[in-house]
Amino acid sequence: MTSLDTKPRKADKPARAVRSAGDRTFAGLSTGAGILILVVLAGVAAFLIAESLDAISAPAAEVPGGEGVWSYVGPLVFGTLLAAVIALLVATPLGVAIALFITYYAPKRIAATLGYLIDLLAAIPSVVYGFWGLAALAPSLVPFYAWAERNLGFLPFFAGPASVTGRTMLTAGLVLAIMILPIISAISREVFSQAPALHREAALALGATRWEMIKMAVLPYGKSGVIGGAMLGLGRALGETLAVAIVLSVSGGITFDLISSSNPSTIAANIALQFPESSGLDVSTLIFTGLVLFVITLAVNMLARYVVNRRADFSGAN
Amino acid sequence: MAKRIDVSDLDIFYGNFKAVEGVNVSIEPRSVTALIGPSGCGKSTFLRSLNRMHEVIPGARVEGKVVIDGQDLYGSDVDPVDVRRQIGMVFQRPNPFPTMSIYDNVVAGVRLNSKKMKKNDLDDLVESSLRGANLWNEVKDRLDRPGSGLSGGQQQRLCIARAIAVQPEVLLMDEPCSALDPISTLAIEDLMTELKDRFTIVIVTHNMQQAARVSEQTGFFNLNGVGQPGRLIEFNPTEKIFSNPDQKATEDYISGRFG
């Protein structure tokens, strides 16, 4: 019966590690904050689902458009993704290039000023972007659209007829690109400037030029940060309401034609434009489109996570 | 391939601060030359001036001459990038590229020279470089794994393999063993003894036993006080430095009666 003595005494409480009051308070606060996020997220999801049930279960003919919620939301999803993808395609290379210029090419003083100016872009309210896009960018793009229709009309993107107001999907995408530029360039700048000197020196000592050093030691290190920044930007572009609502001329359904005046709307802009005049089932339908946007954004973020983690071994974090 | 280095009247500045002053030295090919001295005496700065790596710090410049087999490294038409392709460097902390596999790390420098090499030739180069760095047997089955997964000593040998893969004329080592355990240190020291048949090696070390074990020539750097430039106090055969140095300061330093 000697084993009795050596048996771990499971019934007893495990010895509590000594922790200071401050430590416990902070642990409690941060845990609470983490839980709060989950509660809010769950609350939003529950609200969206509950409120959109009416529209989902309603007969197709009664839903706005007369063909059911799915055909109502389809063009909106397409428009949302198209505008966001245009924005991302323009803003990501530009943002990365700006970040590289600021961190590795520009003289110190210019770098600081430029960084400050880029950050300032983020402080401009989206309604201002909207009016700028409507009043300044759209008209100035009209000649380009006409030119594109004549010379690049064989591409589906420039099939035309070219818009005479310039309020096209491409204009909306470009406005969104400028809006998400500060997010992407700020995050890229941050990760690029943290690329370890150790590896930058390793590249230089092998006889790398500055650009080769960036390719070997900075970009691979910053890749996941850039993807993260791009996804944050994409999130903003997907959800941006006012600027798109002001700029985009909406009529019609799914089309890849970027320069005509008949464009699908985006989910967020459509909600903003339709909501004041809606009641009953219309409201439920709009909330359903909101639910779809919620799911899209969630999926985009999960995809980004997956992309970032796929080659975690090689990430440089170890 | 191994070349001699002649340094004359070399002053090294960071901005207005003179870090190293008046270095005159000739470093023999196919030998190991050790540089010792207290921290901050300029020996690492001097080492980095031999492949123009100190220029990474803004405002760094030199006066004087560094000549490698007749070629002035600081000639007005010399690109520092070309200098670094001829003169390899191994750093204090092992720094394999974490985003690259072991294989890609070894050929990183070769790829930079933008020579298009056949897969077979690359494979041979990887094997010979890793064998040269005494690492082949440990990693031959996992060449596609990241270099950062190796132990510290293995990583440092990977860095040496990467440096010798481009067939440099000179190999500079900046305290290559200071982050390693004694067994890994021994492995690197053995490696240096093998490599000196092919390369001119210059090593900075704080470990005087190491200098005594591996080098033929030893240079002792010192500075008179904080804010003063470092100087090469004595440069002599290693045996002489450690048994009967010319300078009192050298003797004080190696016998630990310093400061």
Side-chain angles (χ1 to χ4, degrees), chain A residues 228-253:
Chain A
M231 288 305 140
L232 273 181
L234 183 60
R236 167 136 200 226
L238 288 172
E240 177 49 40
T241 311
L242 219 43
V244 178
I246 293 171
V247 168
L248 196 60
S249 141
V250 176
S251 65

Side-chain angles (χ1 to χ4, degrees), chain B residues 187-252:
Chain B
I188 304 262
E189 287 180 10
D190 289 345
L191 182 54
M192 277 187 249
T193 315
E194 288 171 29
L195 291 175
K196 74 177 177 195
D197 294 339
R198 295 158 58 199
F199 305 100
T200 306
I201 297 179
V202 185
I203 171 177
V204 163
T205 179
H206 274 147
N207 180 336
M208 279 178 276
Q209 285 80 16
Q210 181 170 62
R213 280 192 297 262
V214 299
S215 69
E216 276 84 35
Q217 304 276 325
T218 298
F220 170 61
F221 277 81
N222 203 356
L223 70 178
N224 293 330
V226 178
Q228 304 275 341
R231 316 174 74 104
L232 180 60
I233 303 292
E234 180 169 355
F235 189 83
N236 264 321
T238 302
E239 245 170 69
K240 181 166 169 52
I241 288 259
F242 284 99
S243 59
N244 182 25
D246 289 336
Q247 302 289 328
K248 177 84 167 59
T250 314
E251 190 177 351
D252 287 351

Side-chain angles (χ1 to χ4, degrees), chain A residues 198 201 204-205 207 220 313-314, chain B residues 48 81 84-85 95 99 145:
Chain A
L198 212 60
E201 290 199 336
L204 290 174
D313 284 5
F314 287 86
Chain B
R48 290 163 71 94
V81 168
R84 295 179 198 137
R85 285 183 185 180
N95 55 359
T99 51
R145 297 297 303 150

Side-chain angles (χ1 to χ4, degrees), chain A residues 23-36:
Chain A
D23 205 12
R24 259 177 295 153
T25 313
F26 186 75
L29 280 174
S30 56
T31 311
I35 291 171
L36 185 69

Side-chain angles (χ1 to χ4, degrees), chain A residues 119-239:
Chain A
D119 288 346
L120 213 59
L121 281 180
I124 299 173
S126 58
V127 64
V128 174
Y129 276 111
F131 281 118
W132 174 75
L134 178 71
L137 185 64
S140 61
L141 283 173
V142 169
F144 167 73
Y145 292 152
W147 177 87
E149 186 195 0
R150 277 197 309 278
N151 297 293
L152 299 169
F154 56 90
L155 295 171
F157 309 117
F158 302 112
S163 162
V164 291
T165 58
R167 297 173 61 194
T168 67
M169 187 55 93
L170 191 55
T171 308
L174 290 176
V175 170
L176 286 179
I178 296 169
M179 294 177 75
I180 66 176
L181 192 61
I183 301 175
I184 297 178
S185 75
I187 292 179
S188 304
R189 195 176 70 200
E190 205 55 41
V191 293
F192 290 160
S193 69
Q194 285 168 4
L198 212 60
H199 301 126
R200 286 189 277 132
E201 290 199 336
L204 290 174
L206 282 174
T209 61
R210 196 179 304 201
W211 168 236
E212 286 167 334
M213 180 272 283
I214 287 171
K215 273 194 296 184
M216 287 171 97
V218 176
L219 291 181
Y221 176 85
K223 193 178 65 182
S224 56
V226 170
I227 294 175
M231 288 305 140
L232 273 181
L234 183 60
R236 167 136 200 226
L238 288 172

